[in-house]
Amino acid sequence: MKKVELLAPAGNLEKLKMAVLYGADAVYLGGEEFSLRAYAENFTLDELKAGVEFAHSKGKKVYVTINIFPHNDDLKKIPEYIKEVAGIGVDAIILSDPGILSIVKEIAPDMEIHLSTQANNTNFMSARFWHNHGVKRIILARELSLEEIREIREKTPDSLELEVFVHGAMCISYSGRCLLSNYMAGRDSNRGLCAHPCRWKYYLMEEKRPGEYYPVYENERGTFIFNSRDLCMIEHIPELVESGVSSFKIEGRMKSSFYVATVVKAYREAIDAYYEDKDNYKFDPRLLEEVCKVSHREFTTGFFFNKPGPKDQIYATSSYIREYDFVGVVQKYDKATKIATVEQRNRMYKGEEIEVVNPKGNFFVQKIEWMKNADGEDIDVAPHPQMTVYMPMKEDVEEFAMLRRKSSPNK
């Protein structure tokens, strides 16, 4: 059996590099247009070229999203954009619209095509249809159970790959086909502009009592009736692999580098451990602890085992759980002196305890014994965003190693 692919989000060039170095087999990203994450930083064509070169140098792949549902005006620019993307050498285009599919086949006939989850593929006949029209991979709708996925796998050609989301935010609408944002904020979720009204606070108002708002849920904070828990399937690698899917996808092009690297690393270790000894595989709970160290909501297994119920929603708050801070990333390291050059990401202090995470292996814990600024002056605190800091390391570190600390209300 071919090893399942681990596919990570890349909202910008740094996130792409972090995803690749921390264990992703491939990344997916959007350009400045035609992507369903219009508010992510996204990639210029020059940045896309640099990202593809970096990923390919590490033996990894890059998939570009052109997965909006285009209006007529959008179609004027898409052919030229496809030509430019294909010329850069991306490995696949992710799309959801049959019109864009036709353009890709005309402009770049050798390009691998993946069907976005926005196309809502939920059955084997639909999967066959798209495969017959040139689609290499189907990104299945989130609303499928493992049993349904297994049946789709059994009733489609082996040459068709199946991809599923395994981690990240869940939409309350049908695989993102939501009209709330368009109606309430004038921002079309199907053109990359979702305002996320599913996370807003809601009250009930009776028609003849304007201005009198009643909590839908008896709580002084209101209620978040559309607010789903985050998907997390890291404890269920065997079931996912055995369902026949080809790729595990992590959601999060708008998440931080810290989020991407941490989640990718945890899933990488879980997947590798499963393939090393399938018969005796046992999930390491440490990996669940790791994914809980990034900003997240409470977790759910979504539709994989059964349809979500009341316990899969969060009613009291739309806030994230944040127990750790990302405080720095290593830019350079001198093995002879054990001094690291660190780019600060959050205020950090001399004497405080941090965890240092390399792309591979376990993290280690140390205190910041001393710090110097870019001028070589001793400092007790690194207060400025992205300032350069020098500090000693207890163990050897690699470029792009992350520094994190347990959150404190006083920091």
Side-chain angles (χ1 to χ4, degrees):
M1 182 187 297
K2 184 180 178 182
K3 194 170 188 177
V4 71
E5 174 189 83
L6 179 58
L7 177 58
N12 60 29
L13 188 55
E14 181 189 81
K15 294 172 189 177
L16 180 150
K17 292 179 178 179
M18 295 284 267
V20 167
L21 293 173
Y22 278 79
D25 298 305
V27 296
Y28 64 100
L29 54 86
E32 293 182 301
E33 296 183 279
F34 317 123
S35 164
L36 283 180
R37 286 294 181 269
Y39 293 111
E41 292 178 59
N42 293 320
F43 285 71
T44 65
L45 290 172
D46 286 342
E47 289 169 336
L48 177 59
K49 183 178 180 181
V52 169
E53 288 175 353
F54 179 83
H56 287 179
S57 73
K58 304 293 184 183
K60 311 301 182 182
K61 295 181 178 181
V62 176
Y63 309 143
V64 171
T65 57
I66 309 179
N67 59 342
I68 65 166
F69 287 96
H71 291 232
N72 290 332
D73 285 346
D74 296 314
L75 295 176
K76 297 173 185 176
K77 298 180 182 179
I78 285 176
E80 182 60 29
Y81 182 68
I82 290 170
K83 187 183 296 183
E84 291 171 330
V85 165
I88 288 171
V90 303
D91 297 282
I93 287 175
I94 302 171
L95 53 80
S96 53
D97 179 76
I100 295 179
L101 172 62
S102 298
I103 297 171
V104 172
K105 291 176 71 175
E106 179 182 344
I107 299 292
D110 297 326
M111 177 63 66
E112 186 170 303
I113 298 171
H114 296 180
L115 186 74
S116 171
T117 191
Q118 294 299 116
N120 306 131
N121 200 124
T122 57
N123 64 78
F124 62 85
M125 288 298 292
S126 178
R128 287 179 189 171
F129 169 86
W130 287 110
H131 188 46
N132 289 338
H133 284 77
V135 170
K136 168 73 171 177
R137 177 184 296 185
I138 303 286
I139 305 166
L140 293 171
R142 288 177 173 89
E143 293 77 25
L144 293 175
S145 67
L146 283 170
E147 184 178 350
E148 290 175 300
I149 293 169
R150 281 192 290 267
E151 184 175 3
I152 291 172
R153 177 70 286 166
E154 290 167 1
K155 294 181 178 179
T156 53
D158 292 340
S159 54
L160 176 65
E161 297 178 355
L162 302 178
E163 177 180 307
V164 295
F165 280 93
V166 299
H167 195 94
M170 294 280 281
C171 181
I172 57 93
S173 190
Y174 202 95
S175 281
R177 300 290 286 271
C178 181
L179 299 178
L180 276 178
S181 180
N182 215 338
Y183 180 77
M184 300 178 75
R187 285 165 48 177
D188 191 344
S189 60
N190 291 311
R191 300 180 84 185
L193 301 172
C194 186
H196 303 287
C198 55
R199 309 298 180 190
W200 296 353
K201 184 185 291 186
Y202 288 89
Y203 290 85
L204 178 69
M205 187 181 74
E206 199 274 327
E207 180 183 10
K208 296 181 180 179
R209 293 177 173 82
E212 294 184 31
Y213 300 98
Y214 302 92
V216 180
Y217 172 71
E218 293 299 326
N219 185 303
E220 69 277 4
R221 289 171 293 185
T223 183
F224 300 85
I225 54 176
F226 304 128
N227 190 32
S228 173
R229 294 183 180 224
D230 282 356
L231 179 65
C232 178
M233 288 292 287
I234 196 166
E235 295 178 89
H236 304 285
I237 299 299
E239 297 98 314
L240 286 166
V241 172
E242 289 159 16
S243 72
V245 297
S246 307
S247 181
F248 292 176
K249 188 172 195 172
I250 296 168
E251 182 274 339
R253 275 191 281 156
M254 306 221 6
K255 299 290 178 65
S256 68
S257 298
F258 175 50
Y259 177 97
V260 171
T262 302
V263 175
V264 165
K265 187 173 190 288
Y267 274 84
R268 175 79 279 149
E269 292 182 16
I271 292 167
D272 289 349
Y274 171 73
Y275 278 93
E276 283 171 13
D277 191 354
K278 293 180 184 178
D279 293 334
N280 299 300
Y281 172 77
K282 186 176 180 182
F283 176 70
D284 183 350
R286 176 185 60 84
L287 300 179
L288 181 59
E289 293 173 8
E290 281 296 298
V291 298
C292 287
K293 288 182 178 180
V294 297
S295 177
H296 67 284
R297 300 181 184 91
E298 295 173 15
F299 290 134
T300 175
T301 55
F303 291 78
F304 282 111
F305 296 102
N306 44 53
K307 289 185 178 180
K311 292 183 179 180
D312 294 288
Q313 297 290 112
I314 304 170
Y315 301 101
T317 178
S318 62
S319 298
Y320 287 89
I321 300 167
R322 293 182 174 92
E323 297 181 345
Y324 276 76
D325 298 320
F326 177 31
V327 296
V329 60
V330 173
Q331 294 181 315
K332 295 179 183 177
Y333 176 66
D334 187 329
K335 276 193 173 185
T337 62
K338 286 189 172 290
I339 305 300
T341 304
V342 176
E343 183 178 271
Q344 184 258 39
R345 293 303 172 88
N346 268 298
R347 187 183 295 256
M348 53 183 162
Y349 298 81
K350 175 183 173 182
E352 73 177 348
E353 190 173 83
I354 58 172
E355 294 178 1
V356 182
V357 186
N358 278 308
K360 294 181 181 178
N362 293 330
F363 68 86
F364 63 89
V365 180
Q366 71 168 56
K367 284 190 175 181
I368 301 177
E369 295 177 10
W370 53 259
M371 291 188 292
K372 293 182 184 291
N373 63 19
D375 296 324
E377 301 167 331
D378 288 322
I379 55 174
D380 292 331
V381 58
H384 306 302
Q386 294 186 290
M387 68 182 289
T388 298
V389 177
Y390 302 97
M391 67 174 67
M393 288 288 148
K394 185 173 78 173
E395 299 179 18
D396 288 338
V397 295
E398 301 172 34
E399 184 182 5
F400 287 103
M402 300 184 296
L403 279 56
R404 67 190 181 197
R405 63 143 184 263
K406 197 162 183 60
S407 297
S408 168
N410 299 321
K411 298 277 180 75

